């Protein structure tokens, strides 16, 4: 079993776009060390991340993410154990389109975890970032 956690958040207004590559570089290094996979998407208006891996490593990363001052308005979308990962290697995507930004806003406004249909949509949106 692996832990899957997903959230969306908004970057702090003073976070420069030039900081994003550094975030990705550090995340890839740390996630490889900790046996974590997933995806991080930055839309310009939102971050969305799926973290998958050993329970202790995933929770430790989540605690670091939750304390990170570079973002705000964090909403947990998924927190579950599963047999099958959605993402088998680490990915970073950049999507800038109205559909993604709108959907992230809908999920944030609900302030609750996603249902199964939303899981499918989240996975689709985040996987599409990998193809860009």
């Amino acid at each position: 079993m692996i832990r899957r956690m997903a959230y969306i958040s908004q970057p702090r207004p003073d976070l420069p776009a030039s900081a994003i590559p550094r975030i990705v570089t550090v995340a890839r290094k740390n996630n490889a060390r900790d046996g974590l996979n997933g995806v991080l998407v930055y839309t310009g208006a939102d971050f969305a991340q799926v973290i998958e891996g050993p329970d202790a490593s995933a929770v430790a990363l989540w605690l670091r993410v939750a304390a990170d001052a570079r973002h705000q308005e964090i909403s947990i979308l998924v927190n579950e154990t599963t047999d099958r990962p959605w993402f088998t290697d680490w990915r970073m995507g950049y999507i800038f389109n109205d559909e993604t930004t709108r959907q992230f806003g809908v999920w944030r406004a609900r302030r609750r975890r996603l249902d199964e249909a939303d899981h499918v949509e989240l996975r689709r949106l985040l996987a599409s970032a990998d193809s860009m």
Side-chain angles (χ1 to χ4, degrees), residues 24-90:
V24 173
T25 299
V26 171
R28 284 182 176 150
K29 178 182 156 206
N30 291 344
N31 292 344
R33 177 196 67 210
D34 297 337
L36 294 168
N37 292 311
V39 63
L40 173 65
V41 170
Y42 176 62
T43 69
D46 296 282
F47 288 109
Q49 184 172 16
V50 173
I51 303 163
E52 296 177 317
D55 192 61
S57 294
V59 170
L61 175 55
W62 166 248
L63 292 174
R64 290 192 305 273
V65 165
D68 192 327
R70 294 174 293 189
H71 62 152
Q72 60 194 7
E73 300 295 324
I74 301 169
S75 298
I76 297 173
L77 303 177
V78 176
N79 185 2
E80 63 190 9
T81 57
T82 183
D83 293 338
R84 294 182 175 202
W86 287 349
F87 302 97
T88 56
D89 33 340
W90 183 252

Side-chain angles (χ1 to χ4, degrees), residues 105-119:
V106 167
W107 288 333
R108 183 180 298 105
R110 287 186 193 163
R111 299 218 178 265
R112 65 168 173 80
R113 297 211 174 121
L114 301 183
D115 61 26
E116 198 58 39
D118 289 328
H119 278 203

Side-chain angles (χ1 to χ4, degrees), residues 41-43 91-100 124-132:
V41 170
Y42 176 62
T43 69
R91 297 182 169 109
M92 166 61 185
Y94 178 77
I95 302 174
F96 191 75
N97 67 48
D98 292 336
E99 175 198 0
T100 303
R124 184 193 68 78
L125 283 173
L126 298 182
S128 71
D130 190 47
S131 65
M132 297 184 164

